[in-house]
Amino acid sequence: MPANHRRDIMTLIKVAIAGFGGVGRAVASLLLARRDQYRRVYGVDCRLVAVCGSQSGLFDSDGLDTGRFNRLEPGLTGPDFIVKSGADILIEAGPSDFRTGGPGLAYLWAALSAGRDCIVISKGALVHSGLDLRALTQSSGAMLKLSGAAAAALPTLDLIEHSLKGCKVLAVEGILNATTNYLLDAMINRGLGFDEALREAQTGGFAEADPRNDTEGWDTASKLLLIANFGLDAGLVMDDLLVEGIQSISQSRVEGWREARMVPKLVGSLVRMDGGWQAGVGIRTYPLTDPLAHVSGKNKAIRITTDAMGDTIAIGSGTEPLATAAAALKDLEHILIARAIHSV
Amino acid sequence: MPANHRRDIMTLIKVAIAGFGGVGRAVASLLLARRDQYRRVYGVDCRLVAVCGSQSGLFDSDGLDTGRFNRLEPGLTGPDFIVKSGADILIEAGPSDFRTGGPGLAYLWAALSAGRDCIVISKGALVHSGLDLRALTQSSGAMLKLSGAAAAALPTLDLIEHSLKGCKVLAVEGILNATTNYLLDAMINRGLGFDEALREAQTGGFAEADPRNDTEGWDTASKLLLIANFGLDAGLVMDDLLVEGIQSISQSRVEGWREARMVPKLVGSLVRMDGGWQAGVGIRTYPLTDPLAHVSGKNKAIRITTDAMGDTIAIGSGTEPLATAAAALKDLEHILIARAIHSV
């Protein structure tokens, strides 16, 4: 019976998820929905053995299913819990804080130190301690993937590392933040002031109660920093970036753009200079003939300029949290492929 | 002396190029320019041992350099010549003919049969016999890469195979042909008729003397077929596609689009249906708010719709022949990576 034979030699890969809010749960559900696909394509049994939020979690070495996700048990949480779960791969989807590294930092540090591969969705730890975490992978042999953090469904690191392989990246510009897209659109096309647009966005759920991480450019800067450091080895820290947001845009600037038929976007930008990178976040304006002028709402985009392939633009528009979960599980498959090839 | 030590253990990879026109020569020059990069990054000595056109070529087991490219020797050509050169990797850049397979077909058949990895730039053989060639790789263990053929610098297969890994592709639409972009733009924005626009394009070098491969949609159809078969396992042949070109567009249709402020593009399209794919080439119109409306001139674009990541758009704009050469050498690096991992 070939089917049984296949099952006998199937490799078991145990997965844990730290951070079990909307995104963590979406990752868990999608992982379980794709288990058959992983069996069929890679001959791997991907088993979800542990999940946890900040206070509680679940563990089952035989594998969890979605029916148990609403019955988390208090105390089953923390870096030790995850390491002791025996998971081969940690998916980190907790709250993000780039000033402290957030809870993700301790999870990632523990897992990478134990040689476990990590897939990161929250940006905080990678912005705060990305260079150290990367060094840790080099000593422990673990893999660290971060598509979900860099810009979720929009391919950014993928383009640099895979699609533009061999080319020298000269410049990167990215429209990486949905909230500022929404606000700028409301200000330009509907004539709202910043405060009015913000209140509307907050009411509609398009902006957070404390919107400064988005409006002052820090979210864009965080994503840019990940692209710079993990895609281009730029070795930058947040202090190297000149970061401007959209909170102080005057009515007269808005009118000037409208009259000139130029579309403003909050853009993170990297330019290769002699011996390093010039990096920053600020407003850039585009003529209507530029595809980037038409990246609005929840869409994100990146333009990468290389020596040999000219400009390559990518525009992504997945629906959250599914698209982010899919980005993390893309990383999972890339790990499965790399590990499978190693074991041939 | 670490440098000498490195050189001692360096793997030698011998490369041959069949088809030595503008693109083949650009590949050769870029390969030689990147040899140090390949040594440093992969520990591989990539040596160009053979090149040939239809009548003449060059062979040197110690490696060719650019100084000899204008002194090809008669008779050094053909599939046997390439196989006997001992090349580990063949880059096929000859003339393309999808009705016969072109000269590339014999080169690829011989090289793949001998277990040599192949990087394909000309579409003809892949359109004509892609399914057979693919089957041949499965029996011989050779790798077959085709970024240069699928749409050169524009990532198409990369997106499907790497950036959207794990997602189910539901639909693909691609603006894949520069000549029709040029002609449609002249007809819409400058009011020229098709014949007039074509004469202008031919004079300017933007259209061939026999333009039908472009204007009747066959070039677009060829690229679409490669994306379908190699990216999506669609198993299609050219006869499965409904192919319409731009040669019969009436003045009144042009006026209608202009009045409606819609932008026409020649588009290759794939839609997943129950049990297969609906595939075709024809005019599609876009509103000015769609980034694809702004893909003009020599730019190309693709929009891929998946179940979990929504729409992903890529737009490419490299300058030929350098961008196509870079696409082929991206394939080379992907082969080096896969082979290096295998030999760990």
Side-chain angles (χ1 to χ4, degrees), chain B residues 95-260:
Chain B
S96 184
D97 185 333
F98 72 86
R99 291 184 177 82
T100 65
L105 184 52
Y107 280 104
L108 294 173
W109 200 267
L112 291 173
S113 299
R116 313 289 165 81
D117 297 329
C118 288
I119 294 166
V120 193
I121 296 176
S122 67
K123 295 175 285 295
L126 298 174
V127 173
H128 183 273
S129 297
L131 303 178
D132 292 340
L133 290 168
R134 206 176 182 195
L136 190 52
T137 66
Q138 278 149 13
S139 61
S140 76
M143 299 176 77
L144 176 62
K145 298 279 183 181
L146 58 144
S147 295
L154 175 72
T156 56
L157 296 170
D158 284 356
L159 291 181
I160 294 169
E161 293 173 352
H162 190 84
S163 298
L164 304 173
K165 194 91 192 169
C167 298
K168 184 173 186 177
V169 174
L170 305 175
V172 173
E173 62 184 309
I175 301 171
L176 303 171
N177 179 268
T179 302
T180 47
N181 268 353
Y182 180 96
L183 296 173
L184 287 169
D185 182 63
M187 292 161 73
I188 298 292
N189 292 323
R190 294 191 288 124
L192 304 189
F194 175 78
D195 293 334
E196 196 180 355
L198 180 58
R199 274 194 301 275
E200 181 190 273
Q202 286 170 323
T203 306
F206 306 117
E208 297 185 37
D210 180 352
R212 291 174 297 176
N213 191 46
D214 293 315
T215 57
E216 294 181 3
W218 301 110
D219 177 69
T220 300
S222 295
K223 290 167 185 161
L224 188 73
L225 206 63
L226 300 188
I227 294 166
N229 288 343
F230 288 87
L232 298 166
D233 259 328
L236 299 176
V237 295
M238 196 59 108
D239 280 348
D240 295 323
L241 275 64
L242 185 66
V243 179
E244 287 187 289
I246 66 163
Q247 70 279 10
S248 313
I249 292 172
S250 67
Q251 191 60 30
S252 68
R253 269 182 99 191
V254 169
E255 276 158 25
W257 293 327
R258 205 185 290 132
E259 277 166 26

Side-chain angles (χ1 to χ4, degrees), chain A:
Chain A
M1 283 172 71
N4 278 340
H5 178 67
R6 279 296 299 275
R7 195 158 300 158
D8 288 344
I9 59 163
M10 198 159 282
T11 308
L12 174 63
I13 299 279
K14 289 179 278 183
V15 177
I17 299 174
F20 209 55
V23 172
R25 284 165 189 262
V27 172
S29 299
L30 193 59
L31 175 72
L32 294 175
R34 287 182 175 173
R35 280 186 75 183
D36 283 345
Q37 190 171 321
Y38 301 142
R39 282 197 187 91
R40 203 172 59 242
V41 178
Y42 304 105
V44 164
D45 178 14
C46 265
R47 192 178 293 174
L48 182 64
V49 296
V51 301
C52 68
S54 61
Q55 306 293 331
S56 55
L58 290 169
F59 169 75
D60 191 330
S61 61
D62 290 333
L64 298 164
D65 57 52
T66 50
R68 296 166 69 177
F69 290 169
N70 289 324
R71 300 198 305 274
L72 301 196
E73 298 164 28
L76 298 184
T77 182
D80 278 358
F81 165 70
I82 292 294
V83 169
K84 284 182 187 155
S85 77
D88 304 291
I89 298 176
L90 167 65
I91 302 177
E92 196 280 306
S96 185
D97 186 333
F98 72 86
R99 291 183 178 84
T100 64
L105 185 52
Y107 280 103
L108 294 173
W109 200 267
L112 290 172
S113 299
R116 312 289 166 79
D117 297 329
C118 289
I119 295 166
V120 193
I121 296 176
S122 67
K123 292 175 288 295
L126 297 174
V127 172
H128 182 274
S129 297
L131 303 177
D132 292 339
L133 290 168
R134 205 176 182 196
L136 190 54
T137 65
Q138 278 148 14
S139 61
S140 76
M143 299 177 77
L144 175 62
K145 298 278 184 185
L146 58 144
S147 294
L154 175 72
T156 56
L157 296 170
D158 283 356
L159 291 181
I160 295 170
E161 293 172 353
H162 190 84
S163 297
L164 303 173
K165 194 92 192 168
C167 297
K168 184 173 184 175
V169 174
L170 305 176
V172 173
E173 60 184 312
I175 301 170
L176 303 170
N177 179 269
T179 302
T180 48
N181 268 353
Y182 180 94
L183 295 174
L184 286 169
D185 182 64
M187 292 161 73
I188 297 291
N189 293 324
R190 294 191 287 125
L192 304 191
F194 175 78
D195 292 334
E196 196 180 356
L198 180 58
R199 273 193 303 275
E200 182 191 274
Q202 285 170 324
T203 306
F206 306 117
E208 297 186 37
D210 180 353
R212 290 173 299 174
N213 191 46
D214 294 314
T215 57
E216 295 181 2
W218 301 110
D219 178 69
T220 299
S222 295
K223 289 167 185 159
L224 188 73
L225 205 65
L226 300 188
I227 293 166
N229 287 343
F230 288 87
L232 298 165
D233 257 329
L236 299 176
V237 295
M238 195 59 107
D239 281 347
D240 296 323
L241 276 65
L242 185 66
V243 179
E244 288 186 288
I246 66 164
Q247 70 279 12
S248 313
I249 293 173
S250 67
Q251 191 61 29
S252 67
R253 271 181 96 189
V254 169
E255 276 159 24
W257 293 327
R258 204 185 292 132
E259 277 165 25
R261 294 178 61 76
M262 296 294 282
V263 181
K265 298 288 175 191
L266 188 69
V267 169
S269 144
L270 296 166
V271 179
R272 187 185 286 271
M273 312 292 281
D274 283 348
W277 292 88
Q278 190 179 70
V281 174
I283 294 276
R284 190 170 287 189
T285 62
Y286 298 95
L288 289 164
T289 51
D290 189 321
L292 293 195
H294 306 282
V295 175
S296 53
K298 292 188 172 292
N299 297 356
K300 300 189 192 104
I302 192 166
R303 170 153 48 205
I304 303 176
T305 307
T306 66
D307 57 346
M309 288 202 194
D311 285 358
T312 302
I313 293 173
I315 304 174
S317 64
T319 307
E320 300 308 329
L322 178 61
T324 301
L329 293 185
K330 162 177 74 177
D331 286 347
L332 175 72
E333 292 200 42
H334 291 162
I335 290 174
L336 293 181
I337 292 167
R339 295 291 183 210
I341 290 172
H342 270 296
S343 71
V344 164

Side-chain angles (χ1 to χ4, degrees), chain B residues 59-100:
Chain B
F59 169 74
D60 191 330
S61 62
D62 290 333
L64 298 165
D65 58 52
T66 50
R68 297 166 69 177
F69 290 170
N70 290 324
R71 300 196 305 273
L72 301 196
E73 299 165 26
L76 299 185
T77 181
D80 279 358
F81 165 70
I82 292 294
V83 169
K84 284 181 185 154
S85 76
D88 305 291
I89 299 177
L90 168 64
I91 302 177
E92 198 280 305
S96 184
D97 185 333
F98 72 86
R99 291 184 177 82
T100 65

